[in-house]
Amino acid sequence: MIMSSDPKVAEQPAKGRDQLLHVANLKKYFPIRGGVLNRVVNHVKAVNDVTFDIARGEVVGLVGESGSGKTTVGRTILRLEQATEGSIDFDGADINRLNKPQMRRYRKRMQIVFQDPYASLNPREKIRTVLGHALALHNIGTPSDRDDRIVALLEQVGLSSDYINRFPHEFSGGQRQRIGIARALAVEPEFIVADEPVSALDVSIQAQVINLMDDLREKFSLTMLFIAHDLAVVEHISDRVIVMYLGKIMEIAPTRALYRVPNHPYTQALLSAVPNPDITERKERVILKGDIPSPINPPSGCVFRTRCPIAIADCASIVPPLKQVAPDHYSACIRTAGV
Ligand SMILES: Nc1ncnc2c1ncn2[C@@H]1O[C@H](COP(=O)(O)OP(=O)(O)OP(=O)(O)O)[C@@H](O)[C@H]1O
Ligand SMILES: [Mg+2]
């Protein structure tokens, strides 16, 4: 369900959905410093007024081209970055306002899986140490039962128990990502941000890791924000998908609806690049012209207009609101969804 800062746009309670996370009007601007005085001369508008929610047990896919702000959304939600503006409500608490001890308790409930498992694992630490640290940090188990927990974790992610004494370089990319997942699971979180967890892997291994995450989600009733470049990657695992472009949400919809009846021209362009046997009527591939503009000076009105195949003059002056186009389906385009 989407809520908007604009009262004219449909504001709805999460009907029938038990909300775990509600992000409202989130902005994250990174300052750019310059000049001899090293003053803030400008900002990178990495996330620019984003509103969405995630229900308990739901997996929401977050897609968009490089630089659209996906990682920044994920990191800000986990408060690895401090939001510039907006609220992040996690199970009733505004994450932005928690002090350090309060945040510690929430850290245990929210975990992240990174894109590059190798960079996120210390090469000098055996797997026992890597996972043991995660457990010790959150006071889970006793030192004597930690090995048993670690073995159980390895088994849950499909790795043999004797890997406990190995170093990260002794694993394949897919196995390392399984360790990254085990590390996130170690603290028994409710919510996981998976930031391109399979992008660094071979296509054949990608499906295995996605299937594993799907199984774990079921087993541990996990709620997930699953970030990817590619719409094909999130289709299988996501209940809903958010499409981002230049710091803004373009479209948000239940997965099936997004793939079958995409509303936004940006989503249509992304989808036209995905071979999809579900779509009976083959759409012609839409090639977007030009590069993604700079988030320092995003285009006025609709940020996508400079690359949009159906833009009109009004698109330069009207910031398109997210309008409901079908149940649970919202799109920000004055041409296809209205003003
Ligand atoms: N710490 C930072 N300082 C300054 N700018 C940043 C910082 N982190 C991200 N940005 C900028 O914010 C914008 C969004 O970056 P972000 O990493 O969130 O995009 P992304 O969608 O995750 O891209 P990718 O698909 O390449 O991972 C980019 O223009 C990026 O250069
Ligand atoms: Mg990223």
Side-chain angles (χ1 to χ4, degrees):
M1 238 25 94
I2 271 293
M3 293 167 86
S4 167
S5 54
D6 178 351
K8 290 196 295 295
V9 182
E11 252 196 44
Q12 310 182 18
K15 219 186 317 162
R17 268 218 292 265
D18 178 12
Q19 238 176 51
L20 180 64
L21 180 76
H22 179 68
V23 175
N25 307 110
L26 183 68
K27 292 185 183 172
K28 177 65 193 179
Y29 291 1
F30 293 105
I32 302 169
R33 293 176 184 277
V36 278
L37 298 174
N38 203 28
R39 287 212 178 104
V40 174
V41 289
N42 221 327
H43 288 93
V44 177
K45 297 176 174 119
V47 176
N48 202 359
D49 200 359
V50 156
T51 298
F52 64 92
D53 65 17
I54 304 184
R56 232 174 270 276
E58 190 180 32
V59 176
V60 173
L62 178 57
V63 298
E65 284 166 287
S66 188
S68 54
K70 306 178 297 295
T71 295
T72 308
V73 167
R75 291 178 55 84
T76 313
I77 290 174
L78 301 182
R79 209 167 156 193
L80 300 171
E81 302 280 359
Q82 183 67 37
T84 305
E85 242 180 84
S87 64
I88 301 156
D89 185 312
F90 182 83
D91 203 16
D94 188 345
I95 292 291
N96 277 328
R97 291 172 201 275
L98 299 179
N99 60 27
K100 272 207 172 134
Q102 288 168 328
M103 195 59 219
R104 257 183 83 84
R105 266 179 278 139
Y106 280 84
R107 286 245 180 277
K108 181 177 171 306
R109 300 174 66 184
M110 315 160 89
Q111 289 292 308
I112 188 162
V113 175
F114 297 98
Q115 167 173 358
D116 183 350
Y118 201 54
S120 67
L121 295 170
N122 184 337
R124 284 185 294 274
E125 285 181 351
K126 286 183 180 171
I127 299 315
R128 168 184 277 120
T129 316
V130 171
L131 298 179
H133 273 335
L135 294 170
L137 187 66
H138 293 282
N139 294 317
I140 294 174
T142 58
S144 57
D145 78 3
R146 271 187 198 138
D147 270 10
D148 291 342
R149 283 178 181 266
I150 292 167
V151 166
L153 277 166
L154 288 175
E155 279 166 5
Q156 267 151 7
V157 297
L159 294 174
S160 153
S161 56
D162 44 271
Y163 288 1
I164 190 165
N165 285 318
R166 290 207 192 168
F167 291 96
H169 72 263
E170 298 177 70
F171 294 93
S172 70
Q175 288 173 330
R176 275 199 291 265
Q177 194 52 294
R178 287 171 193 266
I179 291 161
I181 294 167
R183 181 175 53 184
L185 286 177
V187 302
E188 295 162 13
E190 292 156 66
F191 177 63
I192 288 184
V193 171
D195 190 359
E196 309 225 25
V198 299
S199 302
L201 306 177
D202 283 353
V203 176
S204 58
I205 311 292
Q206 282 188 352
Q208 290 174 11
V209 174
I210 293 175
N211 285 337
L212 169 70
M213 295 190 79
D214 211 15
D215 292 346
L216 293 170
R217 162 226 187 155
E218 193 87 8
K219 198 161 166 192
F220 298 106
S221 318
L222 293 170
T223 305
M224 257 194 262
L225 182 68
F226 192 104
I227 299 174
H229 267 89
D230 187 338
L231 275 165
V233 167
V234 296
E235 183 174 10
H236 176 65
I237 198 167
S238 306
D239 299 302
R240 281 186 305 146
V241 174
I242 298 173
V243 178
M244 261 185 98
Y245 181 83
L246 216 58
K248 299 232 178 231
I249 293 179
M250 300 287 110
E251 186 162 5
I252 174 164
T255 306
R256 200 174 158 75
L258 191 96
Y259 288 78
R260 304 212 97 180
V261 279
N263 180 277
H264 200 283
Y266 181 56
T267 314
Q268 289 171 4
L270 287 181
L271 268 177
S272 76
V274 178
N276 190 340
D278 262 11
I279 299 171
T280 38
E281 198 187 318
R282 276 234 110 56
K283 300 249 161 56
E284 223 169 279
R285 176 145 189 195
V286 185
I287 309 280
L288 291 176
K289 48 186 185 207
D291 290 331
I292 189 163
S294 162
I296 298 169
N297 291 304
S300 63
C302 172
V303 289
F304 181 56
R305 71 178 165 83
T306 53
R307 297 173 75 200
C308 180
I310 57 168
I312 53 173
D314 276 352
C315 298
S317 55
I318 300 170
V319 177
L322 267 168
K323 295 280 287 185
Q324 187 164 16
V325 294
D328 262 357
H329 189 160
Y330 300 80
S331 174
C333 174
I334 61 169
R335 301 284 327 269
T336 59
V339 189

